[in-house]
Amino acid sequence: MSISKSDYSKMTDKASPNSPVIMNCIKAFIFGGGLCTFAQVLNYLFERAGLNENEVRLATPSAVIVITAVLTGLGVYDKIARHAGAGTIVPISGFANSVVAPALEFQHEGYVLGTAAQMFSIAGPVIVYGTATSVVYGFIYYLVTK
């Protein structure tokens, strides 16, 4: 028994309906903007707490990373991501989630071969290519400004 191409096409269209692209973009924009606004509020609070400029520059992203890691560990960040979509991949929070999620997923395989080995499975390529790109950019900058 075989299925014709047109029947198969109808079955796949029925099984995978179109996603609401406009609504997904709006949700991503609102959540991503909200996350950045939250980071700006943290920045302001750290300034008001008396931290100097360098300390604020360190404290704000550190706080966002810790909050994201804790929310990922509690399973809350994934629930938020189901609704916010691409809005959850704002660089700092997205990176923290991409490190913590695989570490938790593979912890049953042990600390070395599970957690440690899989921790950077998603974030690893970002680190490698980001570092390589920054070296190339730095070399070009050096040649241009020399």
Side-chain angles (χ1 to χ4, degrees), residues 52-99:
N52 66 40
E53 187 177 345
N54 287 333
E55 293 169 336
V56 170
R57 286 183 193 168
L58 295 172
T60 302
S62 297
V64 172
I65 289 168
V66 168
I67 291 168
T68 302
V70 169
L71 290 177
T72 300
L74 296 174
V76 174
Y77 201 81
D78 290 339
K79 291 176 184 175
I80 294 169
R82 281 190 209 117
H83 299 286
T88 59
I89 59 172
V90 172
I92 295 225
S93 61
F95 183 78
N97 182 12
S98 71
V99 171

Short mmCIF file of all heavy atoms in Angstrom, two decimals, residues 52-99:
data_model
loop_
_atom_site.label_atom_id
_atom_site.label_comp_id
_atom_site.label_asym_id
_atom_site.label_seq_id
_atom_site.Cartn_x
_atom_site.Cartn_y
_atom_site.Cartn_z
N ASN A 52 30.11 51.37 42.06
CA ASN A 52 30.71 52.25 41.05
C ASN A 52 30.42 51.68 39.66
O ASN A 52 29.88 50.59 39.51
CB ASN A 52 32.21 52.46 41.29
CG ASN A 52 33.03 51.20 41.12
OD1 ASN A 52 32.78 50.41 40.22
ND2 ASN A 52 34.01 51.02 41.98
N GLU A 53 30.83 52.41 38.63
CA GLU A 53 30.49 52.05 37.26
C GLU A 53 30.99 50.65 36.87
O GLU A 53 30.27 49.87 36.26
CB GLU A 53 31.07 53.09 36.30
CG GLU A 53 30.64 52.89 34.86
CD GLU A 53 31.16 53.98 33.94
OE1 GLU A 53 31.60 55.04 34.43
OE2 GLU A 53 31.13 53.76 32.72
N ASN A 54 32.22 50.33 37.24
CA ASN A 54 32.77 49.01 36.90
C ASN A 54 32.03 47.90 37.64
O ASN A 54 31.80 46.81 37.09
CB ASN A 54 34.26 48.94 37.21
CG ASN A 54 35.08 49.72 36.22
OD1 ASN A 54 34.67 49.90 35.07
ND2 ASN A 54 36.23 50.20 36.65
N GLU A 55 31.67 48.13 38.88
CA GLU A 55 30.94 47.12 39.65
C GLU A 55 29.54 46.89 39.08
O GLU A 55 29.06 45.76 39.03
CB GLU A 55 30.86 47.54 41.12
CG GLU A 55 32.20 47.52 41.81
CD GLU A 55 32.18 48.18 43.19
OE1 GLU A 55 31.30 49.03 43.45
OE2 GLU A 55 33.05 47.84 44.00
N VAL A 56 28.90 47.97 38.63
CA VAL A 56 27.57 47.85 38.02
C VAL A 56 27.66 47.05 36.73
O VAL A 56 26.82 46.20 36.43
CB VAL A 56 26.95 49.25 37.76
CG1 VAL A 56 25.69 49.14 36.92
CG2 VAL A 56 26.65 49.95 39.08
N ARG A 57 28.73 47.31 35.95
CA ARG A 57 28.92 46.57 34.69
C ARG A 57 29.10 45.07 34.93
O ARG A 57 28.78 44.27 34.06
CB ARG A 57 30.15 47.09 33.96
CG ARG A 57 29.96 48.42 33.32
CD ARG A 57 31.20 48.80 32.57
NE ARG A 57 31.17 50.19 32.19
CZ ARG A 57 32.20 50.86 31.73
NH1 ARG A 57 33.37 50.26 31.59
NH2 ARG A 57 32.08 52.12 31.39
N LEU A 58 29.63 44.71 36.07
CA LEU A 58 29.80 43.29 36.40
C LEU A 58 28.55 42.71 37.07
O LEU A 58 28.17 41.57 36.81
CB LEU A 58 31.00 43.11 37.33
CG LEU A 58 32.36 43.45 36.73
CD1 LEU A 58 33.44 43.41 37.80
CD2 LEU A 58 32.70 42.50 35.60
N ALA A 59 27.92 43.49 37.93
CA ALA A 59 26.79 42.99 38.72
C ALA A 59 25.54 42.74 37.88
O ALA A 59 24.85 41.73 38.10
CB ALA A 59 26.47 43.96 39.85
N THR A 60 25.26 43.62 36.94
CA THR A 60 24.02 43.49 36.16
C THR A 60 23.99 42.20 35.34
O THR A 60 23.06 41.39 35.49
CB THR A 60 23.78 44.72 35.28
OG1 THR A 60 23.73 45.88 36.11
CG2 THR A 60 22.49 44.60 34.49
N PRO A 61 24.97 41.95 34.48
CA PRO A 61 24.90 40.68 33.73
C PRO A 61 25.03 39.46 34.62
O PRO A 61 24.43 38.41 34.35
CB PRO A 61 26.03 40.77 32.71
CG PRO A 61 26.90 41.89 33.14
CD PRO A 61 26.09 42.76 34.03
N SER A 62 25.80 39.58 35.69
CA SER A 62 25.94 38.44 36.62
C SER A 62 24.59 38.10 37.24
O SER A 62 24.24 36.92 37.36
CB SER A 62 26.95 38.76 37.72
OG SER A 62 28.22 38.96 37.17
N ALA A 63 23.85 39.11 37.64
CA ALA A 63 22.53 38.88 38.23
C ALA A 63 21.58 38.25 37.21
O ALA A 63 20.84 37.31 37.54
CB ALA A 63 21.94 40.18 38.76
N VAL A 64 21.62 38.73 35.97
CA VAL A 64 20.74 38.16 34.93
C VAL A 64 21.11 36.69 34.68
O VAL A 64 20.24 35.84 34.53
CB VAL A 64 20.83 38.99 33.62
CG1 VAL A 64 20.09 38.30 32.49
CG2 VAL A 64 20.26 40.38 33.84
N ILE A 65 22.41 36.39 34.65
CA ILE A 65 22.87 35.01 34.44
C ILE A 65 22.40 34.11 35.58
O ILE A 65 21.87 33.02 35.35
CB ILE A 65 24.40 34.96 34.29
CG1 ILE A 65 24.80 35.58 32.95
CG2 ILE A 65 24.92 33.55 34.42
CD1 ILE A 65 26.29 35.84 32.81
N VAL A 66 22.57 34.56 36.81
CA VAL A 66 22.16 33.75 37.97
C VAL A 66 20.65 33.55 37.98
O VAL A 66 20.16 32.42 38.18
CB VAL A 66 22.65 34.38 39.29
CG1 VAL A 66 22.01 33.72 40.49
CG2 VAL A 66 24.17 34.32 39.38
N ILE A 67 19.89 34.59 37.73
CA ILE A 67 18.43 34.48 37.72
C ILE A 67 17.98 33.51 36.63
O ILE A 67 17.13 32.65 36.85
CB ILE A 67 17.78 35.87 37.54
CG1 ILE A 67 18.01 36.72 38.80
CG2 ILE A 67 16.29 35.75 37.22
CD1 ILE A 67 17.68 38.19 38.63
N THR A 68 18.58 33.63 35.43
CA THR A 68 18.23 32.72 34.33
C THR A 68 18.59 31.28 34.67
O THR A 68 17.81 30.36 34.41
CB THR A 68 18.94 33.15 33.03
OG1 THR A 68 18.57 34.49 32.71
CG2 THR A 68 18.57 32.23 31.88
N ALA A 69 19.76 31.07 35.25
CA ALA A 69 20.19 29.72 35.60
C ALA A 69 19.25 29.10 36.64
O ALA A 69 18.87 27.93 36.52
CB ALA A 69 21.62 29.74 36.13
N VAL A 70 18.86 29.88 37.63
CA VAL A 70 17.94 29.38 38.66
C VAL A 70 16.57 29.07 38.05
O VAL A 70 15.99 28.01 38.31
CB VAL A 70 17.81 30.39 39.83
CG1 VAL A 70 16.67 30.02 40.76
CG2 VAL A 70 19.12 30.47 40.59
N LEU A 71 16.06 29.98 37.20
CA LEU A 71 14.77 29.73 36.55
C LEU A 71 14.82 28.52 35.63
O LEU A 71 13.85 27.76 35.54
CB LEU A 71 14.31 30.98 35.78
CG LEU A 71 13.90 32.17 36.62
CD1 LEU A 71 13.55 33.36 35.73
CD2 LEU A 71 12.75 31.84 37.53
N THR A 72 15.96 28.31 34.96
CA THR A 72 16.12 27.12 34.12
C THR A 72 16.12 25.87 34.98
O THR A 72 15.46 24.88 34.66
CB THR A 72 17.42 27.20 33.29
OG1 THR A 72 17.36 28.35 32.45
CG2 THR A 72 17.61 25.96 32.44
N GLY A 73 16.86 25.91 36.09
CA GLY A 73 16.92 24.77 37.00
C GLY A 73 15.58 24.41 37.59
O GLY A 73 15.28 23.23 37.82
N LEU A 74 14.75 25.40 37.83
CA LEU A 74 13.41 25.16 38.39
C LEU A 74 12.39 24.78 37.33
O LEU A 74 11.24 24.45 37.65
CB LEU A 74 12.93 26.41 39.14
CG LEU A 74 13.74 26.81 40.37
CD1 LEU A 74 13.24 28.15 40.92
CD2 LEU A 74 13.65 25.72 41.44
N GLY A 75 12.78 24.86 36.05
CA GLY A 75 11.87 24.54 34.96
C GLY A 75 10.95 25.67 34.56
O GLY A 75 10.07 25.50 33.71
N VAL A 76 11.15 26.84 35.14
CA VAL A 76 10.29 27.99 34.84
C VAL A 76 10.67 28.62 33.51
O VAL A 76 9.81 29.05 32.73
CB VAL A 76 10.38 29.03 35.99
CG1 VAL A 76 9.62 30.30 35.65
CG2 VAL A 76 9.88 28.43 37.28
N TYR A 77 11.97 28.70 33.22
CA TYR A 77 12.44 29.37 32.00
C TYR A 77 11.89 28.67 30.76
O TYR A 77 11.52 29.34 29.78
CB TYR A 77 13.97 29.42 31.96
CG TYR A 77 14.50 30.48 31.05
CD1 TYR A 77 14.58 31.81 31.46
CD2 TYR A 77 14.93 30.18 29.77
CE1 TYR A 77 15.06 32.79 30.63
CE2 TYR A 77 15.42 31.15 28.93
CZ TYR A 77 15.49 32.45 29.36
OH TYR A 77 15.97 33.43 28.52
N ASP A 78 11.79 27.35 30.77
CA ASP A 78 11.25 26.63 29.62
C ASP A 78 9.77 26.96 29.41
O ASP A 78 9.30 27.06 28.28
CB ASP A 78 11.43 25.12 29.79
CG ASP A 78 12.88 24.70 29.68
OD1 ASP A 78 13.67 25.45 29.08
OD2 ASP A 78 13.22 23.62 30.19
N LYS A 79 9.04 27.11 30.51
CA LYS A 79 7.62 27.47 30.40
C LYS A 79 7.47 28.87 29.82
O LYS A 79 6.58 29.11 29.01
CB LYS A 79 6.95 27.38 31.76
CG LYS A 79 6.81 25.96 32.26
CD LYS A 79 6.23 25.89 33.65
CE LYS A 79 6.22 24.45 34.14
NZ LYS A 79 5.77 24.35 35.52
N ILE A 80 8.35 29.78 30.24
CA ILE A 80 8.33 31.14 29.69
C ILE A 80 8.67 31.08 28.20
O ILE A 80 8.04 31.75 27.37
CB ILE A 80 9.32 32.05 30.45
CG1 ILE A 80 8.86 32.24 31.89
CG2 ILE A 80 9.47 33.38 29.75
CD1 ILE A 80 9.90 32.90 32.78
N ALA A 81 9.66 30.27 27.84
CA ALA A 81 10.11 30.18 26.44
C ALA A 81 9.02 29.64 25.52
O ALA A 81 8.99 30.00 24.34
CB ALA A 81 11.36 29.30 26.36
N ARG A 82 8.15 28.81 26.02
CA ARG A 82 7.05 28.29 25.18
C ARG A 82 6.17 29.42 24.68
O ARG A 82 5.62 29.34 23.59
CB ARG A 82 6.21 27.29 25.97
CG ARG A 82 6.83 25.95 26.05
CD ARG A 82 5.88 24.90 26.61
NE ARG A 82 6.68 23.89 27.27
CZ ARG A 82 6.64 23.60 28.55
NH1 ARG A 82 5.79 24.22 29.33
NH2 ARG A 82 7.42 22.69 29.06
N HIS A 83 6.02 30.46 25.49
CA HIS A 83 5.18 31.58 25.10
C HIS A 83 5.99 32.70 24.46
O HIS A 83 5.53 33.34 23.52
CB HIS A 83 4.43 32.13 26.32
CG HIS A 83 3.52 31.13 26.95
ND1 HIS A 83 2.33 30.74 26.37
CD2 HIS A 83 3.65 30.39 28.08
CE1 HIS A 83 1.76 29.83 27.12
NE2 HIS A 83 2.54 29.60 28.16
N ALA A 84 7.20 32.95 24.95
CA ALA A 84 7.99 34.08 24.49
C ALA A 84 8.80 33.77 23.24
O ALA A 84 9.20 34.68 22.52
CB ALA A 84 8.92 34.54 25.60
N GLY A 85 9.05 32.51 22.97
CA GLY A 85 9.78 32.13 21.76
C GLY A 85 11.17 32.74 21.70
O GLY A 85 11.96 32.63 22.64
N ALA A 86 11.47 33.38 20.59
CA ALA A 86 12.80 33.94 20.36
C ALA A 86 13.15 35.06 21.34
O ALA A 86 14.32 35.42 21.47
CB ALA A 86 12.91 34.46 18.93
N GLY A 87 12.19 35.59 22.05
CA GLY A 87 12.46 36.63 23.04
C GLY A 87 13.30 36.14 24.21
O GLY A 87 13.88 36.92 24.94
N THR A 88 13.40 34.82 24.36
CA THR A 88 14.19 34.26 25.46
C THR A 88 15.66 34.10 25.10
O THR A 88 16.45 33.72 25.95
CB THR A 88 13.65 32.89 25.89
OG1 THR A 88 13.69 32.00 24.77
CG2 THR A 88 12.25 33.00 26.43
N ILE A 89 16.02 34.36 23.85
CA ILE A 89 17.42 34.17 23.47
C ILE A 89 18.21 35.46 23.45
O ILE A 89 19.20 35.57 22.75
CB ILE A 89 17.56 33.40 22.13
CG1 ILE A 89 16.86 34.14 21.01
CG2 ILE A 89 17.06 32.00 22.27
CD1 ILE A 89 17.13 33.54 19.64
N VAL A 90 17.76 36.44 24.23
CA VAL A 90 18.57 37.63 24.44
C VAL A 90 19.93 37.11 24.90
O VAL A 90 19.99 36.23 25.76
CB VAL A 90 17.92 38.56 25.49
CG1 VAL A 90 18.82 39.70 25.86
CG2 VAL A 90 16.58 39.08 24.98
N PRO A 91 21.04 37.62 24.34
CA PRO A 91 22.34 36.96 24.52
C PRO A 91 22.69 36.45 25.90
O PRO A 91 23.06 35.29 26.04
CB PRO A 91 23.33 38.01 24.04
CG PRO A 91 22.58 38.73 22.98
CD PRO A 91 21.16 38.79 23.48
N ILE A 92 22.58 37.24 26.94
CA ILE A 92 23.04 36.78 28.25
C ILE A 92 22.14 35.70 28.82
O ILE A 92 22.60 34.67 29.26
CB ILE A 92 23.16 37.98 29.22
CG1 ILE A 92 24.22 38.89 28.72
CG2 ILE A 92 23.34 37.53 30.63
CD1 ILE A 92 25.19 39.42 29.68
N SER A 93 20.84 35.91 28.78
CA SER A 93 19.94 34.91 29.35
C SER A 93 19.90 33.66 28.47
O SER A 93 19.84 32.54 28.99
CB SER A 93 18.54 35.49 29.53
OG SER A 93 18.01 35.89 28.28
N GLY A 94 19.94 33.83 27.18
CA GLY A 94 19.95 32.68 26.28
C GLY A 94 21.19 31.83 26.47
O GLY A 94 21.13 30.60 26.44
N PHE A 95 22.33 32.48 26.68
CA PHE A 95 23.58 31.75 26.90
C PHE A 95 23.51 30.99 28.21
O PHE A 95 23.89 29.82 28.27
CB PHE A 95 24.76 32.72 26.89
CG PHE A 95 26.08 32.03 27.03
CD1 PHE A 95 26.66 31.39 25.95
CD2 PHE A 95 26.74 32.00 28.25
CE1 PHE A 95 27.88 30.74 26.08
CE2 PHE A 95 27.95 31.36 28.40
CZ PHE A 95 28.52 30.73 27.30
N ALA A 96 23.03 31.63 29.26
CA ALA A 96 22.93 30.96 30.56
C ALA A 96 22.01 29.74 30.46
O ALA A 96 22.33 28.66 30.97
CB ALA A 96 22.42 31.93 31.62
N ASN A 97 20.90 29.89 29.78
CA ASN A 97 19.97 28.78 29.60
C ASN A 97 20.62 27.66 28.78
O ASN A 97 20.44 26.49 29.07
CB ASN A 97 18.70 29.27 28.91
CG ASN A 97 17.66 28.17 28.74
OD1 ASN A 97 17.77 27.12 29.31
ND2 ASN A 97 16.67 28.44 27.94
N SER A 98 21.39 28.02 27.75
CA SER A 98 22.00 27.01 26.89
C SER A 98 23.12 26.24 27.59
O SER A 98 23.53 25.18 27.12
CB SER A 98 22.52 27.63 25.59
OG SER A 98 23.66 28.43 25.83
N VAL A 99 23.63 26.76 28.69
CA VAL A 99 24.63 26.04 29.48
C VAL A 99 23.94 25.17 30.54
O VAL A 99 24.30 24.00 30.73
CB VAL A 99 25.64 27.00 30.14
CG1 VAL A 99 26.54 26.28 31.11
CG2 VAL A 99 26.47 27.71 29.07
#
